[in-house]
């Protein structure tokens, strides 16, 4: 168990981050080249003011008409994503790991705050999962892979929360926590989860198309 932990927090961690960052960079470069080849006309109407406005309105809660039409979903959607980023980045234990592995660290939140955000994340996670199952218009568009990706985002939170509170076997839960977190990092660049980066490009392009070309807002 100790050897597995050392491997996961050493070589495997480095490999996961290399695949994560390298994969995202390669995907951005590939899609940029593809757009230049197949959608050259978009660049004729590139207007950064429209692009930035499009991004901004979709980054703030209820900033678009479609979000205002689904207020509860929008709330849960934003809580899910805020907690998904905040806890891994600013958890004290993670910052100690960042410092040990990469020599860097970020401001840290208290364990109590991390607990609250984890619970909020899990509530929003259950809501989004239930929505995919219950709402027929969402269920029909959801594949087994979509459920898998959603579960992959939730497992590290569940295992980390249980491990911290000593519920179950600590070492096993810690290993599972690290393992699934690294699997998630590796999967992100090659799945829909790459929208953590691609969102900004797609919203900007939509802003170019509707705003720069037609003078119509996209929010």
């Amino acid at each position: 168990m100790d050897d597995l932990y050392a491997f996961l927090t050493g070589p495997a961690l480095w490999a996961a981050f290399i695949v994560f960052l390298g994969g995202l960079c390669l995907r951005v470069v590939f899609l940029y080249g593809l757009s230049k080849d197949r959608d050259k006309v978009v660049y004729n109407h590139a207007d950064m003011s429209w692009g930035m406005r499009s991004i901004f309105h979709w980054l703030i809660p209820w900033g678009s008409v479609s979000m205002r039409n689904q207020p509860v979903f929008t709330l849960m959607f934003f809580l899910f994503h805020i907690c998904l980023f905040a806890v891994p980045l600013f958890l004290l234990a993670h910052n100690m790991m960042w410092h040990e592995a990469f020599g860097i660290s970020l401001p840290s939140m208290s364990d109590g705050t991390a607990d609250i955000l984890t619970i909020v994340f899990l509530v929003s996670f259950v809501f989004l999962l239930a929505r995919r199952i219950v709402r027929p218009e969402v269920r029909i568009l959801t594949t087994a892979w979509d459920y898998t990706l959603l579960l992959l985002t939730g497992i590290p939170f569940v295992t980390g929360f249980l491990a911290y509170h000593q519920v179950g076997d600590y070492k096993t839960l810690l290993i599972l926590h690290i393992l699934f977190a690294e699997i998630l990092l590796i999967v992100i660049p090659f799945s829909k989860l790459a929208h953590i980066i691609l969102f900004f490009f797609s919203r900007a392009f939509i802003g170019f198309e509707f705003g720069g070309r037609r003078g119509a807002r996209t929010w």
Side-chain angles (χ1 to χ4, degrees):
M1 188 72 75
D2 291 340
D3 290 341
L4 180 57
Y5 175 81
F7 171 74
L8 289 174
T9 56
L13 180 63
W14 275 97
F17 272 104
I18 289 171
V19 172
F20 170 69
L21 295 173
L24 283 177
C25 290
L26 288 174
R27 190 161 183 189
V28 168
V29 170
F30 170 76
L31 291 175
Y32 173 74
L34 193 64
S35 70
K36 292 287 285 186
D37 180 54
R38 300 186 181 181
D39 299 304
K40 293 180 181 179
V41 67
V42 173
Y43 294 93
N44 295 334
H45 309 284
D47 185 325
M48 286 309 299
S49 65
W50 278 103
M52 295 304 295
R53 288 164 68 189
S54 177
I55 292 171
F56 173 76
H57 281 277
W58 284 86
L59 275 180
I60 60 174
W62 306 289
S64 70
V65 171
S66 63
M67 285 192 233
R68 290 192 289 273
N69 287 337
Q70 304 180 80
V72 177
F73 167 71
T74 298
L75 174 63
M76 291 299 178
F77 176 85
F78 274 90
L79 288 176
F80 177 89
H81 284 83
I82 290 170
C83 296
L84 180 61
F85 281 97
V87 175
L89 287 176
F90 302 114
L91 185 67
L92 176 60
H94 288 180
N95 268 310
M96 292 171 63
M97 186 175 65
W98 305 146
H99 184 75
E100 183 178 345
F102 307 115
I104 59 173
S105 61
L106 299 170
S108 299
M109 66 176 67
S110 68
D111 291 341
T113 301
D115 267 358
I116 293 172
L117 292 182
T118 299
I119 292 170
V120 170
F121 171 85
L122 293 175
V123 169
S124 61
F125 169 86
V126 171
F127 175 88
L128 295 177
L129 179 60
R131 179 176 178 270
R132 286 189 175 273
I133 297 171
V134 173
R135 295 287 293 270
E137 70 273 23
V138 181
R139 183 174 65 245
I140 196 172
L141 297 174
T142 303
T143 66
W145 182 234
D146 292 323
Y147 286 117
T148 300
L149 292 177
L150 187 56
L151 289 173
L152 274 177
T153 64
I155 291 174
F157 278 81
V158 174
T159 51
F161 186 80
L162 294 177
Y164 175 76
H165 290 282
Q166 304 285 313
V167 179
D169 184 74
Y170 174 78
K171 287 188 176 180
T172 300
L173 288 168
L174 184 60
I175 291 295
L176 291 174
H177 172 70
I178 299 170
L179 175 63
F180 277 98
E182 290 175 355
I183 291 173
L184 180 62
L185 285 174
I186 292 169
V187 167
I188 285 173
F190 312 105
S191 68
K192 294 178 180 179
L193 299 179
H195 72 264
I196 61 173
I197 291 295
L198 300 182
F199 160 84
F200 297 94
F201 294 93
S202 63
R203 289 311 322 173
F205 272 52
I206 293 171
F208 297 163
E209 176 66 20
F210 283 85
R213 189 174 186 181
R214 308 176 190 180
R217 67 180 193 175
T218 62
W219 53 88

